[in-house]
Amino acid sequence: MKEQDLNSLVNQAAELIVNAQKIIVFTGAGVSTESGIPDFRSPGGIWERFDPRDFTYQKFLTDSEGRKKMWRLHREGLMTDAKPNPAHYAIAELDKLGKLDCVITQNVDYLHQKAGIPDAKVFELHGNNKWIKCLSCGRRYDFDHIRVRLNAGEESPDCEVCRGILKPEIVFFGEPLPVEALHEASQRSRSSDLFIVIGSTLVVYPAAYMPMYAISSGAKLIIVNLSSTPMDQDAAVLIRARAGEAMPLIVQQVKERVGR
Ligand code: ZN
């Protein structure tokens, strides 16, 4: 994208943000790639190294070998040490400016929270790799705590209270999406007046319904993504650039307009 074109689109996006009251940011894999996390589905992604058929919810519940494989994937494949990148920080900056209702994300890497957005403002449609929950008693563990046990040689750690099965809060294949997060994300999308899609090609459902709910309720749409999406023609501003390039420019323009 030519620099002058990018600048003009950045200005248009900033103008929409300044004038909006209820802004939702929706993020997909394109926001995480700049933190070194390959898209699960892309070349070099997790599904080239692990067989997705091994990671169904059913297999996890019923097969102890399946659980061992899952913990290996969690430890080696999910990049739990990844750091937020300029796109995450720019989105967090919007929150500090009072310009963020919430983030709805397809990513499981917890990087929005690591960049400073409160947990209560992040709706994770596919769960996260940060928290591990006991399926019997409901106790939650930080993955850093479980990692110590994995590093000490445990292949399939169980609950320290009740010996129940521990499961990462990531949504597995064949597992229903988290009902509350999905409900809340849908409601908020319907009542937003500006919906910003960043780094998602909008092909995974039901996540991809969110921008549809938003525009059908009258919200304006901004899309920042490197490739085309099925909703490009609905966008008021369409920016074909990396999230980590475009978002800091947009937020800088917002700050200048609101005098911060
Ligand atoms: Zn337990």
Side-chain angles (χ1 to χ4, degrees):
M1 176 171 269
K2 280 191 222 137
E3 201 180 318
Q4 67 200 48
D5 295 342
L6 179 60
N7 284 341
S8 152
L9 292 170
V10 160
N11 284 329
Q12 290 172 42
E15 204 60 41
L16 289 178
I17 290 170
V18 169
N19 291 316
Q21 301 303 316
K22 197 166 175 196
I23 301 172
I24 292 185
V25 165
F26 176 95
T27 61
V31 171
S32 296
T33 45
E34 289 166 54
S35 289
I37 300 172
D39 188 341
F40 280 28
R41 295 174 180 79
S42 68
I46 283 182
W47 303 135
E48 280 197 347
R49 293 166 55 208
F50 293 89
D51 184 347
R53 284 169 299 186
D54 283 335
F55 302 99
T56 63
Y57 189 48
Q58 197 55 27
K59 204 158 193 171
F60 181 81
L61 292 182
T62 56
D63 175 8
S64 64
E65 286 304 312
R67 285 198 286 281
K68 286 180 190 169
K69 274 188 191 165
M70 193 286 305
W71 284 111
R72 214 160 53 73
L73 172 136
H74 199 293
R75 192 173 160 211
E76 297 169 17
L78 287 184
M79 321 282 292
T80 44
D81 290 328
K83 303 267 187 298
N85 64 56
H88 295 105
Y89 288 117
I91 297 163
E93 197 75 19
L94 281 182
D95 186 37
K96 291 194 192 99
L97 293 167
K99 282 293 176 187
L100 183 71
D101 178 70
C102 68
V103 173
I104 300 172
T105 187
Q106 299 172 279
N107 301 332
V108 299
D109 48 43
Y110 208 72
L111 291 180
H112 289 297
Q113 292 93 326
K114 285 185 185 170
I117 299 179
D119 250 320
K121 278 193 168 185
V122 183
F123 297 95
E124 300 163 314
L125 300 184
H126 301 159
N128 68 74
N129 65 11
K130 164 83 171 166
W131 293 103
I132 312 294
K133 192 173 180 181
C134 172
L135 294 180
S136 302
C137 74
R139 164 128 191 222
R140 285 168 105 212
Y141 299 85
D142 192 310
F143 178 66
D144 288 338
H145 178 78
I146 300 299
R147 191 202 318 258
V148 173
R149 293 173 59 189
L150 292 168
N151 289 345
E154 281 189 63
E155 287 184 293
S156 180
D158 56 9
C159 176
E160 290 164 25
V161 178
C162 76
R163 304 267 79 110
I165 294 175
L166 293 184
K167 180 191 167 294
E169 285 189 354
I170 298 172
V171 176
F172 285 19
F173 294 113
E175 182 181 4
L177 262 51
V179 177
E180 278 176 38
L182 189 59
H183 178 74
E184 190 71 15
S186 307
Q187 292 298 108
R188 286 179 185 239
S189 297
R190 287 193 178 93
S191 64
S192 68
D193 61 355
L194 179 62
F195 196 96
I196 310 175
V197 172
I198 310 172
S200 173
T201 44
L202 300 176
V203 292
V204 176
Y205 290 88
Y209 285 129
M210 302 301 144
M212 292 183 189
Y213 295 152
I215 57 167
S216 67
S217 306
K220 293 201 167 75
L221 180 67
I222 298 174
I223 297 179
V224 179
N225 197 50
L226 273 175
S227 58
S228 64
T229 84
M231 292 189 71
D232 284 359
Q233 73 282 357
D234 298 302
V237 179
L238 176 64
I239 302 180
R240 286 240 196 286
R242 286 186 302 106
E245 180 188 10
M247 289 313 298
L249 293 173
I250 292 171
V251 171
Q252 184 56 38
Q253 284 300 318
V254 171
K255 278 176 155 174
E256 285 178 17
R257 281 167 170 76
V258 299
R260 293 275 281 274

